[in-house]
Amino acid sequence: MTPEEIEKAVEAGMPQAVEDLKRLVAIPSVAFPGHPEVPVHEAAALTEELLRAAGLPHVERVPVEGSFPAVYGEAPAPPGAPTVLLYAHYDVQPAGDLALWRTAPFEPTQIDGALYGRGAADDKSGLITHVAALRAFQGRFPVGVKVIIEGQEEYAGERLEAFVEANPELVRADAIVVADSGNPRVGDPALTTSLRGMAAFTIEVRSLGESLHSGSFGGAAPDALAALMRMLTALHDDNGDLRVPGLNRGTFSGEGPSEEEFRATAGVLDGVSLVGSGSLADRLWASYAITVTGLDVPSVSGAINAVQAVARARVTIRIPPSGDTKTALDDVTGFLKQVAPWGVHVSFDDFTTGTGFRAEAGGPATAAIGRAMERAFGRAPREVGQGGSIPLVATLARRFPEAEILLYGAEDNDAAIHAPNERVVLDELRRVITAEALFLAEYGQPSA
């Protein structure tokens, strides 16, 4: 197919792509403990149906130990052509506070050229990107195709990592496309070349056998909550830079957002300063960050006059690709023990880890996707990093060092992923689908 024929095929298929995306978004496929499992399996079944309809001759749901099934599909490579692995995930984050949504999260709603709903961007748009790009070829694919769509990335993606380690030949490919990323802004194409890893843990502080009346004991009895607050605030200096030894600031060679862009995207209030030092690209994509993501303490509405005996917090560390996850965990937990006041008892549990990723120098697949994105968007893509992590990417990079890994997608910084009012801009989705189809066609040519 010529580039013009591909563009026409994608354009003609967009109404069906949007309807398919709406069907997916309508399924509350939240794969977190405590949420219904039936919708997750419904999303897996629909994913299987869509991949079959895209022309793949072999599609199946494959079991993943301790997790929901992945959906796998493949088509053999034409003689001499490379093979491409396409990845996305069909599970989504919980909706969160429904009062903050302007539309119902699982009732896909189209407004002013965008589709709103949980998962519309992250990552059901990635799934539809693969489906629609493949559909443009009507079963006559220019490359070998393998597709794996994960069912529990948002909660426990490391379980698919174990599956890949046990079944490497199933996903072996010359190029790997991860459609779980996006552009800084709509219409501003980008390839993600750096992902921070992550580690998370729960810290518990105990100071008393049981909580005590603050009038009778306050002023002398050690308060576990006060101790924990002192420990957590010690992680950063007054400027917001980390005080933990060993967690040094890194540098990112590509272009990051301006402060004005970042403040607008993040919704930073007037008069509130940003934190940390160095460029925003350095801070967001190449340096460590520590965030307290939860506290187990009495709520304000349920507060009583008591000195607390125990307090707990959930702490997340974002780790640059050059960093080591275990070392960072040891550095942070060791520092928290060191700064613990009054001899309080400190313990840690519920550890979670994920490794970062940095793309190697580009090869033929990188060159092909660059040209494809330039045609689809009207400008060449730039390299960006992502502060979040995608658990599977580092495993694929380690297991298949010869494969080129390409990260892109229809998300953008205003897509509100993991937040209320998530949305994908449908024209952006069209451009990404077009770019992927153009890439598959060019990469399948001997000169690519």
Side-chain angles (χ1 to χ4, degrees), residues 60-348:
E60 63 176 322
R61 274 175 273 180
V62 294
V64 177
E65 186 176 356
S67 184
F68 291 93
V71 184
Y72 178 78
E74 64 179 345
T83 294
V84 178
L85 174 68
L86 306 175
Y87 166 88
H89 62 88
Y90 64 78
D91 66 305
V92 299
Q93 284 279 326
D97 187 352
L98 298 181
L100 299 178
W101 285 79
R102 292 186 290 274
T103 62
F106 296 109
E107 295 178 12
T109 305
Q110 197 167 331
I111 303 173
D112 296 331
L115 185 69
Y116 287 79
R118 173 58 83 229
D122 183 19
D123 182 37
K124 291 175 178 178
S125 70
L127 170 51
I128 290 300
T129 292
H130 298 328
V131 168
L134 293 175
R135 188 181 285 145
F137 295 99
Q138 298 182 329
R140 298 185 295 273
F141 305 119
V143 295
V145 176
K146 295 181 178 181
V147 183
I148 190 160
I149 309 297
E150 188 174 2
Q152 203 173 21
E153 190 272 349
E154 297 289 8
Y155 178 74
E158 67 274 7
R159 293 172 184 170
L160 188 64
E161 293 181 61
F163 174 85
V164 167
E165 294 284 9
N167 302 274
E169 293 308 313
L170 200 66
V171 295
R172 185 180 297 277
D174 300 290
I176 299 170
V177 172
V178 177
D180 191 13
S181 184
N183 301 324
R185 295 178 298 274
V186 171
D188 182 12
L191 287 173
T192 296
T193 59
S194 175
L195 294 171
R196 285 195 294 195
M198 64 87 67
F201 60 88
T202 298
I203 179 173
E204 180 178 276
V205 173
R206 288 186 175 272
S207 59
L208 301 165
E210 59 184 19
S211 297
L212 302 170
H213 190 286
S214 60
S216 301
F217 294 93
D223 186 334
L225 176 54
L228 178 60
M229 289 191 296
R230 288 167 64 109
M231 295 161 64
L232 296 176
T233 57
L235 292 167
H236 299 84
D237 64 20
D238 290 344
N239 192 51
D241 288 308
L242 294 179
R243 296 181 62 235
V244 180
L247 304 192
N248 301 318
R249 185 184 311 131
T251 57
F252 185 82
S253 58
E255 178 188 356
S258 68
E259 181 168 335
E260 292 73 19
E261 290 171 334
F262 181 81
R263 292 181 68 91
T265 300
V268 180
L269 300 179
D270 290 343
V272 178
S273 63
L274 303 185
V275 299
S277 303
S279 73
L280 280 170
D282 293 347
R283 278 178 271 175
L284 296 170
W285 303 333
S287 297
Y288 294 89
I290 300 177
T291 305
V292 179
T293 58
L295 286 168
D296 281 345
V297 296
S299 65
V300 172
S301 61
I304 59 174
N305 294 324
V307 179
Q308 298 301 315
V310 60
R312 304 169 75 238
R314 186 69 176 167
V315 179
T316 297
I317 314 165
R318 294 294 174 174
I319 302 165
S322 58
D324 178 74
T325 301
K326 184 180 185 305
T327 300
L329 272 174
D330 291 343
D331 288 342
V332 175
T333 55
F335 180 82
L336 287 168
K337 286 182 179 179
Q338 178 185 337
V339 299
W342 316 319
V344 294
H345 296 185
V346 180
S347 61
F348 305 94

